[in-house]
Amino acid sequence: MPVDSAASKTAATVPPRRGRGRPVGDREGRRTELLDAAMKVIADEGFAGMSLRKVAQRAGCTTGAVSYYFASKDEMLVAVIESRFDEFDKLLEIGDGAGAIRAMFERWLEITNPEDPGVWVAGFQLLAYARHEPTLAAAYQRRYARYRETFAAILAGGQRDGWVRRDIPADLLADQLSAMGDGWMMLFPIEPDRFGPKRVKALLDATMAMISPAA
């Protein structure tokens, strides 16, 4: 039986229907937008006030659209933690060498933006509640362990190559430097005037002197 040519052309130009409730567009981009909205809700209303419904309102979409990406509040909160550590992991991709370590800390301070403290407020909220939420605590432990392991490996390579002191094990140096960076991250948004260019340079100089071999 012959097929009607007009009907055939129409069928060819109509895109296939998507499954019910399936968001259209850039999936990863939309997921990132929802995580950003979640951090803003946490910063404004606290951990206890965050819900998938409020995230949907902040992102300008339906709760069902949020549920497509995150089945529960806990799943979304873990994803928020993972997204923050993804940013920290990028710091370790700068490279090896003393200059790379310095650049890493410079970048660490750059991403701690005092003009947009919401990200850090949300991070502090999550970290505080992780003490009482095993799922969140496990996410922090897993990602921080991976970060420290990678950082320690970079420092161990520096010890072998002679640009990092050898009298302190690399894993302890990684812990010390990470804690120092965390401290800067906490104080920078609160005391931005104390972290002017001159002081930042002095802090970075001191950091490199601390990890360099004795003259």
Side-chain angles (χ1 to χ4, degrees):
M1 186 180 217
V3 179
D4 182 78
S5 58
S8 176
K9 290 179 181 178
T10 300
T13 58
V14 175
R17 295 183 62 186
R18 295 178 179 269
R20 184 179 179 182
R22 186 175 296 273
V24 178
D26 178 10
R27 187 178 190 281
E28 286 304 312
R30 187 55 173 162
R31 187 175 185 275
T32 299
E33 290 175 0
L34 294 176
L35 292 177
D36 289 342
M39 286 193 290
K40 291 175 182 175
V41 171
I42 296 169
D44 291 345
E45 304 191 35
F47 174 87
M50 182 267 196
S51 67
L52 297 187
R53 178 180 61 81
K54 290 183 178 179
V55 172
Q57 291 174 343
R58 182 64 66 98
C61 64
T62 66
T63 305
V66 178
S67 298
Y68 170 77
Y69 293 93
F70 307 101
S72 66
K73 175 179 176 177
D74 280 353
E75 184 176 314
M76 172 170 268
L77 291 173
V78 169
V80 168
I81 294 170
E82 297 274 0
S83 71
R84 298 314 307 150
F85 273 97
D86 287 345
E87 292 298 314
F88 297 145
D89 286 349
K90 290 177 183 177
L91 298 176
L92 299 177
E93 297 174 0
I94 292 176
D96 298 330
I101 296 294
R102 186 185 184 98
M104 182 190 76
F105 278 104
E106 287 176 343
R107 179 58 183 149
W108 198 317
L109 287 169
E110 287 173 4
I111 65 176
T112 307
N113 184 1
E115 301 299 324
D116 183 19
V119 170
W120 311 113
V121 172
F124 298 151
Q125 288 266 349
L126 286 172
L127 189 59
Y129 276 95
R131 293 181 56 206
H132 311 289
E133 298 288 341
T135 301
L136 302 187
Y140 274 111
Q141 291 167 0
R142 180 179 66 256
R143 291 302 300 266
Y144 220 139
R146 191 170 85 184
Y147 175 88
R148 289 195 309 268
E149 181 180 357
T150 303
F151 195 10
I154 293 173
L155 294 171
Q159 289 176 329
R160 290 191 298 270
D161 294 339
W163 56 269
V164 174
R165 60 191 299 169
R166 299 179 182 178
D167 57 329
I168 300 176
D171 63 312
L172 293 183
L173 285 176
D175 270 352
Q176 291 174 332
L177 293 173
S178 297
M180 186 174 65
D182 288 341
W184 292 352
M185 184 177 67
M186 292 174 64
L187 292 174
F188 192 9
I190 297 171
E191 301 181 277
D193 293 339
R194 197 164 69 85
F195 287 85
K198 185 176 180 180
R199 182 172 179 82
V200 166
K201 180 181 183 303
L203 287 170
L204 294 172
D205 289 343
T207 300
M208 300 314 300
M210 288 167 54
I211 67 171
S212 298

